[in-house]
Amino acid sequence: MTPEAVTQSTVTPEAFAPKAFTPDEIAAEGLKPQEYEDIVQRLGRHPNRAELGMFGVMWSEHCCYKNSRPLLKQFPTEGKHVLVGPGENAGVVDLGDGLQLAFKIESHNHPSAIEPFQGAATGVGGILRDIFTMGARPIAILNSLRFGSLDDAKTRRLFNGVVAGISHYGNCVGVPTVGGEVYFDPAYSGNPLVNAMALGLMETKEIVKSGASGLGNPILYVGSTTGRDGMGGASFASAELTDDSEADRPAVQVGDPFLEKSLIEACLEAFKTGAVVAAQDMGAAGLTCSTAEMAAKGGVGIDLDLDLIPVRESGMVPYEYLLSESQERMLFVAQKGREAELIEIFHRWGLQAVVAGSVIAEPIVRIRFGGEIAAEIPALALSDNTPIYEHALLAEPPAYAQEAWAWSSDRLPSCSATGLTRSQGKTSWTQICLELLASPSIASKRWVYRQYDHQVQNNTVLLPGGADAAVVRLRPVDPPVSAQQATRGVAATVDCNARYVYLNPYEGAKATVAEAARNLSCVGADPIAVTDNLNFGSPEKPIGYWQLAEACRGLAEACRALETPVTGGNVSLYNETLDSEGTPQPIYPTPVVGMVGLIQDIVQICGQGFQQEGDRIYLLGTPLDALTPSVTLGGSEYLAFIHHTTAGQPPQVNFDQEKAVQAVCRHSIRQGWVRSAHDCAEGGLAIALAESCITGRKGAQVTVPLPTSGQRWDELLFAEGGARIIVSIRADQQKDFERYLQEELAGFWQFLGVVGPANKGFLISTRDNLTLINARMEEISSAWLNAIEKSLEAD
Amino acid sequence: MNFGIVVFPGSNCDRDMQMVARDLLGQPTRMVWHEETDISDLDTIIIPGGFSYGDYLRCGAIAQFSPVMRATLEHAAAGKRVLGICNGFQVLTEMGLLPGALMRNRDLHFICDRVTVKVERTDLPWTSAYQSQQVITLPIAHGEGCFYADEATIQDLEKNRQVVLRYCDATGNPTLLANPNGSLHNIAGICNRQGNVVGMMPHPERASDPALGCTDGLLLFQSLLSAA
């Protein structure tokens, strides 16, 4: 079954001679003039063409974090659950009962901007390889997506393509896509964000790591063949997108999920033989990155012969081999003498497997081609001793932020209990609520997740759209644990309110971590650990760096406060588009937080939909009539969507309150008191209540206090923040539940009302019986469920 | 009952089926590699869902030439039971064990959802545990699930009562709205004339485990056991 490798062409040694490169040639590899000087200094000579290319990709932000490394250092990375922290292919946490979970998030933003289908598909493929390289079987995928406005035809094309790409790869490879988030904002028009997170359950006895060891051990190349696709993707990913970026389409890889599925099975089987010493997937910077990192981490060298690499096209030169990002490939260090055993496994799965080199003592990466040495670089110079840039932080917040902070809600048009005064006249709160429900960022993402197989593997306990986080049962397949014995679960979520981060990177980043933890708490899971994907603009610009630095400070503080250490992640900078005039348009700073939580017993969980008529509805968190900077319309979806304004200070997180509310929510779910839990996010109280109604197909009669002095009606209904969770409980447990709330959350809870039959509708009124919102179930359901499909019908 | 679950490169519902047969039903269950030729020890062969051979060329088109499917032809000819789920259904139509073909979904998107289907026959060993005309909920997950056959074949299928499952609304009406993929006559699953070979797009193995909420699919396998 093994495909025939294409035969090699010959080569002349002059091609490998070092030479002084011109500024243009240096810039073409994404390197700065000073970096070239550093290369010459590290080598003690000029590089040759292939070597220059290797430095170009390895010294890109994507591979060496040269701008972000000093900031990432402040993240907490240790905790009682953490087995493997940052630095390996994925983080690993201990979930008890011998269960270990590998998880990681990664971006594929630039490829997806140019070629959305393959860009997104290979993003999924790449993150899955990070997981199974560790010896873990992938069990779930989530993704975090950002697009421009759906009114724009180009955005609709990108949106369609990205969703189809994720669907294609994830469905075929047989890993359920169980959750995620999608936001639409013009800030992402030219530069969509595609972040994919994967979870895997360890299947090998030992966690497989990437440091090479054992002099003379063979280097095994396995998986697919090498071609010219995806040349220099890492450098491409570390530059701004321009009108000419379409010409970089060859830098986008093409994925084959069928090969990846076979590769998963073959790799796990190979690891279980005990004959694999180390493994590294070939993602960004392909052979260059995998050889350099394996050598550097092991403190050894690697001697690799390109003539032995199976190729899919002829006439390739070393530069192309080394920078190819052909998908579905891995590099192993095998135990000497056991190569054949491993090769047989891969051949059985119809995959390539060849010995292509060996581990050597000298800590260099030596590349051979056509009988000559085509490249020879100290491994550390490629992957460890790399440039670091410390940028100066702005002395005070930039003007755009200060201007935004000057906003206050008294600038909004007047409003009363009957509605909001707009240019077209008075609009009722019911109407505003319906409009918000149809805002693409709030509306149901059913159109998206219906295209993802979210049930394969038979472990999806909570389906997408039904809860604040995904819940997947942990059921090892090898050695098998029967369905009846598998009672533990993992909850996972990806979150980021980028508008908050844009307005105040420090507070916004804290709110992102808090929301992720809250979402996990809403399904009953204990938040455990974080993987983060920092999507930012250029760090070389003062504002871009300020956003990055402030957000990292907020993330670090929040992860420390909530005891959710960071086990790894990804940095994607230069997310900017240069318009035709050459003006950079940065995205909103978007530090996506992927968080995993432990569920001791998958019976003790809950979704977001109201369950039973007569159940009592409560608000946990900041009461509705409290005036505090933790609850505000600043940065809210209401302000952005209804008033077309992005301004104000976003909600400020109070960690003590946040932890108390979340602990109460989790405890109440485990006690079986709480039958639904949903956090108040975009759209605030009114939208969270409406979503619980729609998901549960029940109505609700809710009573709210009158606004306190200085508080507006829209602040009462749509303000965001405040560590708020809406829960419903059985009526006969009201007394006990209230006693418990009073003990644990005195002053931070409120009784809201009663779950009703669907035909009674969704009603919010004041305590003196002024009706604020009165909508039929069909109205709110249809607005929320169909908004995205309707926006796409234009095509 | 000895269950055999075929594993092609690219199968991805094989272990889900194994979990149901082995854990939930407690039956001897064997994974059958696509290169195997001797399956004489097995009573029921299940061709699971997934993307056999990457769905290259056409869904199920390559799988039909595998050694195990040659053996499955003989298995079926001997009157033994064969079940094709999702991609397995596509394989069975490609090799002619069942009539018709599965085409791209009406809206051209992959669909993963829970749908209601009506059990049209309960006199088969596959369905005897269901009530006649029972409406059940089963998961679907496919991009090519639109059942198509020429008019004469469709008439034959109806006349010979070979339609086993039909997409319907909650009250059992096979409406256009209840048809997720554009299948002719809302067909979700069929059997051969003899009734020993069944193919269906919905996934009964995903609706068998009480821990996951829905168990409407388990009755299909329990029917088999009581028939044995």
Side-chain angles (χ1 to χ4, degrees):
Chain A
M1 276 277 306
T2 310
E4 285 292 308
V6 180
T7 49
Q8 219 45 255
S9 60
T10 53
V11 74
T12 53
E14 303 86 73
F16 307 139
K19 65 166 210 166
F21 286 89
T22 68
D24 281 352
E25 288 170 320
I26 293 164
E29 301 298 336
L31 292 162
K32 297 184 194 320
Q34 179 55 46
E35 290 173 341
Y36 184 76
E37 297 304 316
D38 290 349
I39 291 167
V40 172
Q41 185 248 323
R42 279 172 177 67
L43 289 176
R45 60 173 168 83
H46 285 286
N48 66 24
R49 170 102 172 93
E51 290 166 339
L52 184 69
M54 292 167 79
F55 277 105
V57 289
M58 290 305 291
W59 285 16
S60 68
E61 179 67 32
H62 188 88
C63 290
C64 84
Y65 305 108
K66 57 193 170 191
N67 292 290
S68 53
R69 222 187 317 176
L71 298 172
L72 302 180
K73 268 195 280 188
Q74 59 191 315
F75 291 165
T77 57
E78 288 171 1
K80 60 178 177 182
H81 293 281
V82 178
L83 297 173
V84 176
E88 286 291 337
N89 284 297
V92 182
V93 289
D94 187 350
L95 296 183
D97 270 358
L99 299 168
Q100 299 175 345
L101 183 86
F103 71 108
K104 174 125 181 263
I105 193 166
E106 197 161 82
S107 64
H108 236 206
N109 302 333
H110 283 61
S112 304
I114 306 301
E115 174 24 55
F117 183 93
Q118 287 297 344
T122 53
V124 173
I127 193 63
L128 289 174
R129 280 195 298 287
D130 281 337
I131 299 302
F132 67 79
T133 306
M134 309 286 292
R137 178 175 292 280
I139 58 168
I141 302 168
L142 294 91
N143 45 69
S144 172
L145 311 177
R146 298 289 184 290
F147 299 96
S149 162
L150 277 178
D151 297 334
D152 176 9
K154 188 186 164 204
T155 295
R156 292 195 296 272
R157 181 182 72 82
L158 288 172
F159 179 46
N160 256 306
V162 164
V163 171
I166 293 170
S167 159
H168 164 71
Y169 208 102
N171 297 351
C172 183
V173 83
V175 181
T177 302
V178 294
E181 52 161 18
V182 190
Y183 286 91
F184 302 91
D185 192 292
Y188 302 99
S189 288
N191 193 134
L193 299 184
V194 176
N195 294 181
M197 173 175 167
L199 280 62
L201 197 52
M202 286 301 305
E203 201 165 291
T204 55
K205 280 199 195 86
E206 304 288 328
I207 297 167
V208 181
K209 298 209 176 157
S210 57
S213 67
L215 299 189
N217 272 342
I219 302 292
L220 215 59
Y221 168 109
V222 302
S224 187
T225 50
T226 296
R228 289 189 175 95
D229 51 325
M231 297 287 307
S235 313
F236 159 65
S238 301
E240 295 92 344
L241 291 165
T242 68
D243 287 354
D244 299 330
S245 290
E246 289 283 336
D248 283 327
R249 275 177 69 159
V252 181
Q253 312 83 337
V254 178
D256 182 343
F258 166 64
L259 275 179
E260 179 115 329
K261 166 69 176 157
S262 297
L263 191 59
I264 293 175
E265 301 299 340
C267 281
L268 291 177
E269 201 178 321
F271 295 150
K272 287 174 205 163
T273 63
V276 179
V277 176
Q280 170 83 34
D281 89 292
M282 280 187 250
L287 276 169
T288 299
C289 187
S290 52
T291 48
E293 288 194 350
M294 292 184 90
K297 278 190 190 142
V300 293
I302 286 180
D303 188 319
L304 190 81
D305 190 345
L306 297 180
D307 293 331
L308 301 172
I309 302 291
V311 293
R312 64 182 71 157
E313 50 193 318
S314 57
M316 285 171 49
V317 297
Y319 177 89
E320 292 166 328
Y321 278 93
L322 292 164
L323 271 61
S324 161
E325 292 190 5
S326 291
Q327 298 289 291
E328 293 94 24
R329 303 179 301 159
M330 314 265 276
L331 215 55
F332 288 177
V333 174
Q335 276 180 14
K336 198 169 184 180
R338 298 188 66 182
E339 307 87 321
E341 187 183 338
L342 296 173
I343 288 171
E344 185 278 324
I345 293 172
F346 287 88
H347 284 181
R348 183 151 37 81
W349 284 97
L351 297 166
Q352 300 284 348
V354 295
V355 173
S358 60
V359 177
I360 56 174
E362 201 183 343
I364 54 166
V365 172
R366 181 184 290 136
I367 304 293
R368 298 173 192 273
F369 184 71
E372 304 285 334
I373 291 174
E376 194 170 284
I377 303 178
L380 287 175
L382 284 173
S383 81
D384 194 40
N385 179 19
T386 52
I388 288 188
Y389 299 123
E390 304 251 12
H391 300 275
L393 191 61
L394 288 173
E396 54 177 48
Y400 89 85
Q402 298 200 30
E403 202 178 302
W405 297 347
W407 179 90
S408 69
S409 61
D410 50 23
R411 294 196 194 171
L412 289 172
S414 67
C415 66
S416 67
T418 53
L420 175 74
T421 308
R422 295 158 109 180
S423 53
Q424 64 266 42
K426 191 100 170 188
T427 310
S428 72
W429 296 121
T430 304
Q431 180 56 32
I432 300 278
C433 179
L434 290 171
E435 285 178 32
L436 270 176
L437 283 169
S439 151
S441 290
I442 286 180
S444 164
K445 305 303 179 295
R446 184 181 61 171
W447 182 87
V448 176
Y449 62 72
R450 212 167 168 250
Q451 295 185 54
Y452 304 151
D453 188 339
H454 42 255
Q455 290 189 287
V456 64
Q457 295 192 9
N458 249 350
N459 290 316
T460 310
V461 182
L462 288 176
L463 300 169
D468 283 17
V471 175
V472 176
R473 171 172 60 184
L474 296 167
R475 183 173 55 88
V477 301
D478 185 33
V481 169
S482 78
Q484 296 91 334
Q485 286 166 329
T487 52
R488 284 190 184 223
V490 61
T493 179
V494 280
D495 290 287
C496 180
N497 186 320
R499 201 184 296 123
Y500 292 179
V501 184
Y502 168 72
L503 291 169
N504 185 331
Y506 169 70
E507 288 297 337
K510 286 201 307 190
T512 291
V513 180
E515 190 191 346
R518 205 181 315 125
N519 281 333
L520 296 181
S521 296
C522 281
V523 297
D526 287 313
I528 282 188
V530 159
T531 177
D532 66 304
N533 205 133
L534 305 176
N535 306 276
F536 284 76
S538 167
E540 295 169 39
K541 293 173 188 147
I543 292 179
Y545 186 73
W546 175 77
Q547 292 174 337
L548 180 64
E550 285 292 281
C552 286
R553 185 165 71 90
L555 288 176
E557 197 178 309
C559 288
R560 210 162 264 129
L562 297 173
E563 295 168 71
T564 50
V566 178
T567 63
N570 176 253
V571 178
S572 170
L573 306 181
Y574 305 95
N575 285 291
E576 306 195 348
T577 37
L578 298 177
D579 63 20
S580 305
E581 278 84 53
T583 320
Q585 307 289 337
I587 59 160
Y588 281 161
T590 314
V592 174
V593 168
M595 197 183 280
V596 294
L598 173 63
I599 290 173
Q600 299 280 357
D601 187 344
I602 50 168
V603 179
Q604 296 170 348
I605 55 169
C606 82
Q608 70 179 38
F610 291 139
Q611 295 295 306
Q612 184 78 45
E613 284 166 36
D615 281 1
R616 301 297 192 251
I617 306 169
Y618 288 85
L619 174 71
L620 311 183
T622 309
L624 294 173
D625 43 1
L627 280 179
T628 148
S630 81
V631 180
T632 172
L633 285 178
S636 68
E637 186 69 17
Y638 168 78
L639 195 57
F641 194 72
I642 302 294
H643 297 281
H644 312 291
T645 304
T646 299
Q649 278 281 10
Q652 289 177 18
V653 177
N654 174 331
F655 287 118
D656 289 338
Q657 214 185 91
E658 193 70 61
K659 283 161 79 171
V661 167
Q662 293 185 24
V664 162
C665 182
R666 294 192 300 263
H667 180 75
S668 305
I669 291 171
R670 282 173 208 155
Q671 294 302 312
W673 299 332
V674 163
R675 299 218 277 201
S676 76
H678 187 26
D679 90 310
C680 290
E682 289 79 9
L685 171 87
I687 296 303
L689 283 167
E691 287 172 344
S692 288
C693 286
I694 299 166
T695 316
R697 294 180 187 161
K698 297 278 181 295
Q701 282 74 52
V702 168
T703 311
V704 296
L706 289 170
T708 39
S709 121
Q711 193 181 23
R712 291 167 53 96
W713 291 94
D714 41 14
E715 288 173 316
L716 193 68
L717 291 170
F718 305 115
E720 299 174 11
R724 285 173 171 169
I725 297 174
I726 294 193
V727 299
S728 64
I729 63 148
R730 271 171 48 180
D732 59 9
Q733 285 163 336
Q734 186 163 3
K735 252 193 191 151
D736 292 344
F737 187 61
E738 290 191 1
R739 193 177 311 124
Y740 171 70
L741 290 184
Q742 203 47 35
E743 277 166 23
E744 299 293 324
L745 284 181
F748 283 105
W749 64 274
Q750 258 171 349
F751 174 76
L752 286 182
V754 182
V755 175
N759 60 17
K760 284 275 191 70
F762 171 49
L763 184 73
I764 299 182
S765 51
T766 64
R767 285 180 189 157
D768 52 356
N769 242 344
L770 284 171
T771 300
L772 300 179
I773 291 177
N774 185 3
R776 287 181 297 114
M777 283 303 298
E778 305 81 67
E779 282 180 303
I780 58 171
S781 296
S782 147
W784 188 72
L785 283 171
N786 302 327
I788 288 185
E789 267 154 271
K790 270 193 195 153
S791 323
L792 294 171
E793 271 166 18
D795 296 302
Chain B
M1 172 174 289
N2 286 305
F3 280 93
I5 299 158
V6 173
V7 184
F8 299 110
S11 295
N12 63 30
C13 302
D14 47 334
R15 288 194 181 86
D16 303 3
M17 192 54 238
Q18 179 191 33
M19 183 265 264
V20 172
R22 184 194 62 201
D23 297 356
L24 301 180
L25 301 170
Q27 299 300 308
T29 304
R30 178 161 88 76
M31 306 307 270
V32 184
W33 187 239
H34 65 118
E35 286 169 341
E36 290 190 36
T37 50
D38 183 2
I39 54 171
S40 54
D41 57 318
L42 302 171
D43 303 309
T44 299
I45 279 277
I46 297 178
I47 328 290
F51 293 73
S52 57
Y53 303 96
D55 275 354
Y56 289 160
L57 192 59
R58 204 169 55 239
C59 303
I62 298 178
Q64 62 174 311
F65 298 111
S66 63
V68 75
M69 291 321 291
R70 300 289 106 192
T72 299
L73 275 179
E74 293 166 23
H75 179 91
K80 293 182 176 181
R81 282 166 201 148
V82 180
L83 172 64
I85 300 169
C86 199
N87 189 235
F89 185 15
Q90 294 162 345
V91 174
L92 294 180
T93 59
E94 283 289 337
M95 60 195 292
L97 269 178
L98 291 172
L102 283 312
M103 308 196 345
R104 287 286 298 274
N105 292 345
R106 180 177 48 201
D107 71 357
L108 305 181
H109 291 302
F110 188 97
I111 303 172
C112 178
D113 210 337
R114 273 61 51 199
V115 298
T116 40
V117 291
K118 187 165 53 168
V119 183
E120 291 281 15
R121 278 182 73 169
T122 49
D123 58 345
L124 290 169
W126 307 92
T127 53
S128 58
Y130 291 102
Q131 306 292 318
S132 173
Q133 302 293 296
Q134 187 177 345
V135 176
I136 59 174
T137 299
L138 293 178
I140 54 167
H142 56 248
E144 282 96 358
C146 172
F147 184 81
Y148 179 84
D150 59 46
E151 186 56 33
T153 307
I154 292 280
Q155 290 311 326
D156 270 0
L157 282 171
E158 293 290 3
K159 194 177 71 194
N160 298 318
R161 299 180 60 238
Q162 284 174 256
V163 179
V164 181
L165 296 174
R166 212 185 292 272
Y167 302 111
C168 68
D169 63 16
T171 56
N173 294 315
T175 60
L176 187 67
L177 212 63
N179 184 341
N181 52 28
S183 290
L184 291 180
H185 287 218
N186 282 35
I187 288 172
I190 57 173
C191 62
N192 63 353
R193 285 272 197 110
Q194 297 74 21
N196 64 321
V197 180
V198 164
M200 58 173 71
M201 289 315 294
H203 286 271
E205 84 283 14
R206 293 187 187 185
S208 293
D209 188 347
L212 304 180
C214 178
T215 52
D216 282 358
L218 191 62
L219 287 178
L220 184 128
F221 303 109
Q222 286 171 341
S223 301
L224 264 188
L225 294 187
S226 56

